Amino acid sequence: MNIFRRDLNLLLLFHVLYQERNASRAAKLLSISQPALSHKLNKLRDEWHDPLFIKAPRGLTPTPKAHELAQQIRDIMPNLEAFYATQVEPDFRKRDDKIVIYTHDYFEMCSLSHLLKIMREQAPNVRFVIRNTRGELPRAELENGQCDLAIAGFYKDLPDTMRQQFVGERSYCVLASEDNPHIRGEVLDLDAYLQCEHLVVSVSGDLIGEVDLELERLGHKRKVVAGVSSHLAPIHIVQENPEIITTCFESVAQSALRNNPKLRVYPVPLDIASVRLNQVWHERTHADPLRRWVRELIYDFTINYQASCTPN
């Protein structure tokens, strides 16, 4: 097993094949012909004395030996990628590409403008496409390359082929009209909160959320009159319907105050946990320098510059 006799490029070939489970897609990602891929795969098989990948109706099926190797190679590749990434300064000014992000309008409101300013200067031919995540992880789209990044606070039980990164924590507040007939003074107590009608943000269509679960624990129930998929629609609805309030992200409410002087923001009169936002991507795009850079931009902005979404 002397390393001097080994072709380390075969590790990358194995890594891509294991992620893609498809010879055509793997060859395209590696920028080699399918005959060249077959030749390299045969070298891999000889080296490890195992077929590694078996032809199946929908691509390739890894053998038990391949699954065993994949666990170790998956740990090796990021270190190699990080090493080479530090040796070359990326230049994306001539890169013609499209980044597809599945998220919600909250991300569009707080982050997209900042990203576009940077892209205009450093990657002018790269376009963003934002699609609604609709309350669930776009797993198939991430796996087949139709989605580069998914950003939300409700992704759980991710498969081994997905990576994730924490990009911030968002707390809740109550957004109400100054003409709300149930709120008097500067304090919103639980009694007044329950007397109001409620508009909920529900990307999945479910009208029961953390607020309702906490109220149920306390023996209470609020009156929900509507559920919307947008984080921004409640701003206009609350302003035009003074009897309605909404429990929303604090940054959304603070942004609303800038253009809606008749709105007011109050602390939630309940113990409601903040939402942890994560960005998720597939292993197949982990090594791409452009997509890594975009992920870093999103992380830096959402962690360090979220104050830009709140008034001075």
Side-chain angles (χ1 to χ4, degrees):
M1 298 297 290
N2 192 315
I3 192 172
F4 294 107
R5 302 178 191 171
R6 304 296 171 182
D7 181 356
L8 297 183
N9 286 318
L10 294 180
L11 295 182
L12 176 60
L13 174 78
F14 175 92
H15 184 65
V16 174
L17 269 175
Y18 187 82
Q19 297 301 325
E20 294 299 321
R21 315 288 172 94
N22 182 284
S24 298
R25 290 201 302 266
K28 184 176 181 181
L29 284 171
L30 293 166
S31 298
I32 60 176
S33 66
Q34 286 202 50
L37 184 141
S38 296
H39 175 71
K40 291 178 180 293
L41 177 56
N42 286 332
K43 290 181 64 177
L44 260 177
R45 287 166 169 162
D46 291 341
E47 186 168 298
W48 296 106
H49 308 293
D50 189 271
L52 297 177
F53 300 97
I54 307 299
K55 288 184 179 181
R58 294 187 177 182
L60 298 173
T61 299
T63 66
K65 179 66 174 180
H67 286 305
E68 177 188 338
L69 292 172
Q71 299 296 322
Q72 300 176 64
I73 293 175
R74 187 174 61 187
D75 295 334
I76 295 171
M77 294 308 299
N79 293 327
L80 289 174
E81 292 161 5
F83 168 74
Y84 284 109
T86 60
Q87 308 307 309
V88 180
E89 185 69 25
D91 184 356
F92 303 117
R93 284 173 292 184
K94 295 183 180 180
R95 179 79 174 259
D96 188 351
D97 210 332
K98 179 176 68 176
I99 305 293
V100 180
I101 301 176
Y102 276 62
T103 184
H104 37 62
D105 55 358
Y106 171 78
F107 171 85
E108 294 176 314
M109 180 190 75
C110 286
S111 304
L112 187 56
S113 177
H114 172 78
L115 289 176
L116 290 177
K117 289 178 182 178
I118 295 176
M119 303 303 281
R120 187 178 298 112
E121 297 175 357
Q122 301 186 41
N125 297 318
V126 174
R127 291 92 59 205
F128 281 107
V129 175
I130 311 298
R131 293 178 178 162
N132 196 318
T133 189
R134 301 191 184 282
E136 61 183 7
L137 178 73
R139 178 170 178 169
E141 289 81 1
L142 284 163
E143 290 176 342
N144 62 29
Q146 294 178 343
C147 172
D148 295 297
L149 197 59
I151 304 173
F154 44 74
Y155 299 142
K156 298 178 182 179
D157 301 322
L158 299 179
D160 292 341
T161 54
M162 304 293 177
R163 291 177 178 249
Q164 66 175 323
Q165 181 184 41
F166 171 72
V167 292
E169 195 165 7
R170 302 294 173 261
S171 57
Y172 285 104
C173 69
V174 176
L175 183 65
S177 169
E178 68 174 7
D179 298 325
N180 188 291
H182 303 294
I183 304 175
R184 296 177 176 84
E186 300 299 320
V187 178
L188 172 64
D189 60 24
L190 183 57
D191 288 339
Y193 185 79
L194 293 174
Q195 290 175 22
C196 296
E197 297 179 348
H198 292 257
L199 184 70
V200 301
V201 176
S202 175
V203 292
S204 65
D206 189 357
L207 298 183
I208 304 296
E210 293 298 323
V211 169
D212 303 281
L213 295 177
E214 178 63 16
L215 285 173
E216 182 180 3
R217 190 184 70 82
L218 297 173
H220 299 294
K221 184 178 181 180
R222 62 176 175 170
K223 181 181 180 181
V224 176
V225 295
V228 296
S229 61
S230 168
H231 286 77
L232 306 184
I235 296 173
H236 308 287
I237 296 173
V238 168
Q239 185 174 15
E240 296 177 8
N241 298 268
E243 66 280 5
I244 296 177
I245 64 174
T246 186
T247 303
C248 61
F249 285 157
E250 187 173 355
S251 52
V252 172
Q254 294 294 345
S255 178
L257 292 183
R258 287 201 285 264
N259 300 314
N260 300 271
K262 296 194 67 176
L263 294 177
R264 297 291 181 266
V265 175
Y266 303 93
V268 182
L270 294 164
D271 185 14
I272 303 298
S274 300
V275 172
R276 291 176 59 86
L277 298 178
N278 291 284
Q279 55 179 345
V280 176
W281 62 96
H282 194 273
E283 187 72 30
R284 70 197 303 278
T285 62
H286 180 69
D288 180 70
L290 173 62
R291 284 156 180 81
R292 178 189 287 117
W293 178 58
V294 169
R295 294 193 300 266
E296 291 172 353
L297 290 177
I298 292 172
Y299 175 84
D300 290 341
F301 178 73
T302 54
I303 292 293
N304 300 316
Y305 301 103
Q306 191 59 34
S308 64
C309 290
T310 60
N312 297 325

